[in-house]
Amino acid sequence: MSYGLLSLALTLLWESAEGHGCRNTWTVNGHAVWRTRANGTFCFPHFVSKLILDVGAHVLTEFINHTREREVMVIAFEPQDRLFQMHPRVGGLMLVPAAVGVSGRTVLFNEVSGLGGGLSSLKSFTPAHMERVTGEGFHLRQVRVEVVSLEEVLKRVPASVVVQLIKVDAQGADLDVVLSAGAGLKRALRYQLEVQDLSPGHP
């Protein structure tokens, strides 16, 4: 079976298995993200037992193939609308159009692009940093995005679901993302963070 047909079959399976009592919707940045129960928890099908969170999914979550696994749910966060829209809509993948950090606010999100590539972050970039990353032709654009915390999301995950992994690629804001899990920090079995070995005085 091709991936497209398999995704369609799994999506239909998900839609039919979410169950009754899912009359509410978790909305982020104007997008209806996922149906919820009266107590606020996500309406996952009964067969879902594992969860992966991908903070900084970019153009396509690296865990997309895990959506083929019936028992796995992937939650991918991508605040840049253009990149968010590029993700496929398949069963087993929850797309959240938001940055992750201190919840309940909107902030200016920095998008840097240039001749040498691009990056984005809640952190501010100094001119020296941007030149090192993107070369002389960099461009900075600031957009207002909604922010959710990992704690808010984890509280909505049913207690029966095991959080297998939280992956964070937040261009310098990684620790802030992890700390936003609050009391839910110990719920994840593993964390995967981006770290860099920088020389003294690096911007």
Side-chain angles (χ1 to χ4, degrees):
M1 180 183 291
S2 70
Y3 181 72
L5 289 176
L6 179 60
S7 296
L8 176 60
L10 289 174
T11 300
L12 293 174
L13 176 65
W14 272 70
E15 291 177 349
S16 64
E18 285 180 354
H20 301 290
C22 301
R23 299 179 180 178
N24 301 317
T25 302
W26 185 46
T27 301
V28 178
N29 200 24
H31 292 268
V33 176
W34 206 264
R35 286 184 286 183
T36 62
R37 302 186 188 282
N39 64 0
T41 58
F42 294 127
C43 287
F44 292 163
H46 63 87
F47 47 76
V48 171
S49 60
K50 301 175 183 178
L51 177 67
I52 297 172
L53 283 81
D54 183 3
V55 179
H58 205 57
V59 296
L60 181 65
T61 173
E62 63 188 87
F63 305 105
I64 188 65
N65 286 336
H66 287 280
T67 63
R68 293 172 157 184
E69 302 170 32
R70 188 172 181 264
E71 72 278 10
V72 177
M73 176 76 189
V74 176
I75 301 180
F77 302 83
E78 179 48 60
Q80 297 184 79
D81 186 67
R82 177 179 61 86
L83 303 182
F84 170 80
Q85 298 295 345
M86 294 175 68
H87 279 77
R89 271 53 177 175
V90 296
L93 175 62
M94 179 193 301
L95 296 170
V96 183
V100 178
V102 179
S103 188
R105 63 191 177 123
T106 60
V107 299
L108 286 177
F109 187 73
N110 299 288
E111 299 177 355
V112 181
S113 63
L115 299 176
L119 71 159
S120 59
S121 178
L122 288 176
K123 295 287 189 182
S124 297
F125 299 109
T126 65
H129 188 193
M130 288 189 289
E131 287 186 18
R132 288 190 182 191
V133 174
T134 61
E136 295 181 358
F138 71 82
H139 302 281
L140 171 64
R141 185 171 79 106
Q142 292 185 311
V143 295
R144 192 160 290 278
V145 300
E146 190 166 339
V147 180
V148 300
S149 68
L150 286 180
E151 184 174 30
E152 175 186 354
V153 175
L154 291 171
K155 282 182 178 178
R156 295 180 177 275
V157 176
S160 60
V161 176
V162 177
V163 183
Q164 298 275 64
L165 172 68
I166 297 180
K167 166 252 172 176
V168 183
D169 183 359
Q171 298 296 336
D174 303 67
L175 182 58
D176 295 338
V177 171
V178 172
L179 293 178
S180 79
L185 185 65
K186 60 184 178 181
R187 188 167 176 186
L189 299 182
R190 293 186 297 134
Y191 284 87
Q192 175 185 316
L193 281 73
E194 180 184 55
V195 296
Q196 298 177 1
D197 184 13
L198 302 178
S199 59
H202 189 282

